[in-house]
Amino acid sequence: MTRFQRSIASFDASPGLRTARWLPVFAALAVLAAPVTAEAARGARAIRAYDGTWNVVFATTRGNCSSGYSVPFTVIGSRVSSAGGGRVSGSISRAGVVAVRVSVGASHASGGGRLVGSYGAGWWRGIITGDYCNGTWQATRG
């Protein structure tokens, strides 16, 4: 598993639009999922297994977008939200399948994947400041 050392705090310190265009990607690539079924009693316990703050690291595999940024996301029950910034809507199923949509200004991205235990991985794609990019993400629970 590749690790990147650049944190989201470096966005504020970095000049230019290049770093600002990553905010939606970070928010999006956190976590998405299928809706929870009617088995709420059993499912609620399974979903709570993912609660907490997750550090998500993004890598670009296609497009003119930077790689190696990490962004914190929060999971509470079946909902995924940003612990950093941007508009994030997402969900996680009791099986750990995640789906997320993120937007910041005109930039937007979506992604999906799976969490297992304290780790996770998946894909993302989006239009960041007019450039189409896609890639992968890895997550660890903090």
Side-chain angles (χ1 to χ4, degrees):
M1 183 181 315
T2 304
R3 294 224 177 232
F4 300 96
Q5 298 301 319
R6 190 163 183 181
S7 79
I8 194 163
S10 66
F11 286 122
D12 294 333
S14 298
L17 294 175
R18 187 169 179 101
T19 55
R21 63 196 262 186
W22 273 98
L23 290 177
V25 172
F26 299 140
L29 297 175
V31 220
L32 351 222
V36 178
T37 68
E39 300 175 58
R42 256 189 337 173
R45 284 191 304 271
I47 289 173
R48 293 287 181 196
Y50 305 107
D51 281 5
T53 301
W54 292 78
N55 187 49
V56 182
V57 179
F58 300 93
T60 300
T61 56
R62 182 180 217 175
N64 189 27
C65 299
S66 298
S67 277
Y69 293 99
S70 63
V71 178
F73 288 93
T74 300
V75 174
I76 299 173
S78 64
R79 299 284 176 211
V80 178
S81 61
S82 173
R87 183 177 308 172
V88 178
S89 59
S91 59
I92 182 166
S93 75
R94 60 190 168 141
V97 177
V98 294
V100 174
R101 174 119 174 109
V102 178
S103 63
V104 175
S107 297
H108 55 87
S110 60
R114 184 154 187 212
L115 302 179
V116 177
S118 293
Y119 301 94
W123 58 270
W124 67 269
R125 67 177 171 228
I127 297 175
I128 313 302
T129 315
D131 290 332
Y132 177 80
C133 298
N134 61 42
T136 60
W137 58 266
Q138 294 182 7
T140 55
R141 186 167 17 197

